[in-house]
Amino acid sequence: MCEFRKMAADQADRHSFNEELIDLVKKSPAIWDATRTDYKNLKVVTSLWKEIAQQLKVTVAQVTLRWRNLRDTFRKHCRKIDEGTVLIVRWSYFQQMKFLLSQETTSAE
């Protein structure tokens, strides 16, 4: 039973980590909004990733890898909606990541 509780706690921690990461990235549009002038400014973007990593108590490599995974999963779900292969997305972070839709060419709204 102890192993089951540890697994459940790990899942809850991972879920909370992902939600916090999404919120922090959303508050840092230079990372995700290609229409911004500072989007391609490597100093600004690197500084933002460092701040996010510090807040989450992980390395920049860990946080950027996790973000890429979340972003790519979001894009995959958007493509499925566009293709008509899925009507309802049940992925737990989809609603929270809808701020990225301005960067996608999708009808997922």
Side-chain angles (χ1 to χ4, degrees):
M1 192 64 148
C2 183
E3 194 64 30
F4 175 75
R5 286 190 182 142
K6 183 181 181 321
M7 284 174 36
D10 288 347
Q11 281 184 326
D13 288 346
R14 185 175 29 242
H15 189 75
S16 266
F17 178 89
N18 289 340
E19 286 185 334
E20 191 172 353
L21 172 58
I22 293 166
D23 284 340
L24 291 169
V25 169
K26 182 178 181 179
K27 292 175 187 171
S28 307
I31 290 174
W32 56 269
D33 187 352
T35 64
R36 294 181 53 99
T37 55
D38 51 359
Y39 175 76
K40 290 188 178 189
N41 185 330
L42 193 56
K43 282 185 179 183
V44 171
V45 174
T46 301
S47 174
L48 289 169
W49 279 124
K50 284 179 183 176
E51 287 175 28
I52 291 171
Q54 225 172 14
Q55 289 181 30
L56 294 173
K57 297 175 178 66
V58 295
T59 67
V60 172
Q62 290 170 315
V63 79
T64 55
L65 179 65
R66 187 67 198 130
W67 172 250
R68 276 196 310 269
N69 181 276
L70 289 166
R71 185 199 60 208
D72 291 349
T73 302
F74 177 77
R75 286 179 176 167
K76 178 180 77 173
H77 286 293
C78 287
R79 271 194 308 276
K80 286 181 179 180
I81 290 170
D82 283 347
E83 293 165 357
T85 58
V86 68
L87 298 176
I88 299 172
V89 177
R90 299 195 193 285
W91 184 53
S92 56
Y93 307 110
F94 189 79
Q95 293 298 320
Q96 192 178 1
M97 293 188 68
K98 275 188 155 184
F99 67 93
L100 293 176
L101 286 175
S102 63
Q103 304 302 300
E104 301 290 323
T105 53
T106 182
S107 58
E109 288 186 85

